[in-house]
Amino acid sequence: MIDVNAFRSISYGLYLIASHGDGGRAGCTVNTFAQVTSDPLQVSVAVNKDNHTASIIEQAGRYTAVSLSRDASMDLIGKFGFFCSRDVDKFEPFAVETDASGCPYIAEQAVARFSVEVTDSVDLGTHMLFIGTVVEAERLSDDEPMTYAYYHAVKGGKTPPKASSFIADRIEDAVPPSASGDADAHEDAPKTRYGWRCTICGHVEEVDELPDGFSCPICGVGKELFEKIEL
């Protein structure tokens, strides 16, 4: 037996990974960046093989990692987490710097940044695990780093389907108010308000119905991936 809820107890941070190659610059949001040894200073990161970022890292043999601030915006997280670098320049309109090798990183809403030379990679099926040596590291601010738990609990964020830690949640149908009972007894009760929540990034639209052609302003998915919720 595997209780998937047990995986919710594993602690993570939230990071932006980026690299640059013949296919241009690419980046994505991850929660898998981690230090694995101290001497030498080595780190690892798992990136979904379907992400353009993974192919660019393989090509370049290096990447940058930024530890996000607790105050990082959902616009920044969503841009890097729910769009493809093949189709969108995720780095616009954010502040971007480059390390000594010319590898880009987001230089705002972040606590620290790291530059990594890949020394080994492991094919994990859906993901590539990149193991590397840290060649640059810099503290960018005194802000508190964002944890994945904070992203979910306070920011209301969702786990992208391509993330290593993605486990599909059961989406319950919204239950309308009961039509049973005496109508007069509920005449003065406040009317229940409903809205629509994106099941990918957690964005909420406080409307009764979503119009045809609607797409999430944060992650860009269509109305079919929104669930009705009680506000």
Side-chain angles (χ1 to χ4, degrees):
M1 184 197 79
I2 296 179
D3 181 357
V4 295
N5 290 315
F7 290 89
R8 309 291 185 189
S9 67
I10 301 175
S11 180
Y12 306 93
L14 200 62
Y15 310 92
L16 299 184
I17 303 296
S19 191
H20 187 277
D22 293 340
R25 57 187 183 180
C28 62
T29 305
V30 303
N31 65 341
T32 55
F33 179 70
Q35 181 179 342
V36 293
T37 64
S38 59
D39 188 16
L41 282 166
Q42 293 184 107
V43 293
S44 68
V45 67
V47 183
N48 193 293
K49 290 195 291 188
D50 289 339
N51 283 353
H52 187 49
T53 306
S55 62
I56 295 296
I57 293 175
E58 285 188 290
Q59 178 192 116
R62 61 176 63 246
Y63 66 90
T64 59
V66 165
S67 175
L68 288 175
S69 162
R70 183 179 287 184
D71 296 327
S73 69
M74 289 300 288
D75 286 343
L76 175 61
I77 298 169
K79 190 76 171 287
F80 277 80
F82 299 101
F83 291 87
C84 179
S85 294
R86 294 186 185 92
D87 307 322
V88 175
D89 183 359
K90 299 182 182 183
F91 297 83
E92 292 289 346
F94 307 107
V96 181
E97 300 287 348
T98 56
D99 64 11
S101 69
C103 203
Y105 64 90
I106 295 297
E108 64 174 88
Q109 306 179 54
V111 176
R113 60 101 179 175
F114 306 86
S115 295
V116 183
E117 288 185 354
V118 177
T119 57
D120 198 6
S121 60
V122 182
D123 190 329
L124 301 177
T126 58
H127 288 65
M128 289 298 298
L129 179 69
F130 297 106
I131 302 165
T133 302
V134 176
V135 293
E136 294 181 33
E138 180 185 9
R139 184 85 179 184
L140 299 178
S141 76
D142 293 326
D143 294 345
E144 287 291 323
M146 187 183 300
T147 65
Y148 210 43
Y150 187 91
Y151 164 69
H152 282 287
V154 179
K155 295 285 190 177
K158 293 290 184 179
T159 303
K162 292 181 181 179
S164 300
S165 58
F166 177 75
I167 298 176
D169 292 324
R170 181 182 177 187
I171 301 174
E172 302 288 351
D173 292 330
V175 180
S178 173
S180 62
D182 188 344
D184 291 337
H186 301 282
E187 192 174 89
D188 297 327
K191 182 180 179 181
T192 302
R193 295 173 57 242
Y194 290 92
W196 295 85
R197 179 170 59 205
C198 177
T199 59
I200 301 300
C201 71
H203 173 72
V204 174
E205 285 286 323
E206 297 184 11
V207 295
D208 291 333
E209 296 295 336
L210 295 174
D212 291 338
F214 177 84
S215 60
C216 178
I218 301 299
C219 67
V221 299
K223 62 182 290 186
E224 69 276 5
L225 289 178
F226 275 72
E227 60 179 341
K228 195 170 188 179
I229 61 171
E230 184 177 323
L231 299 174

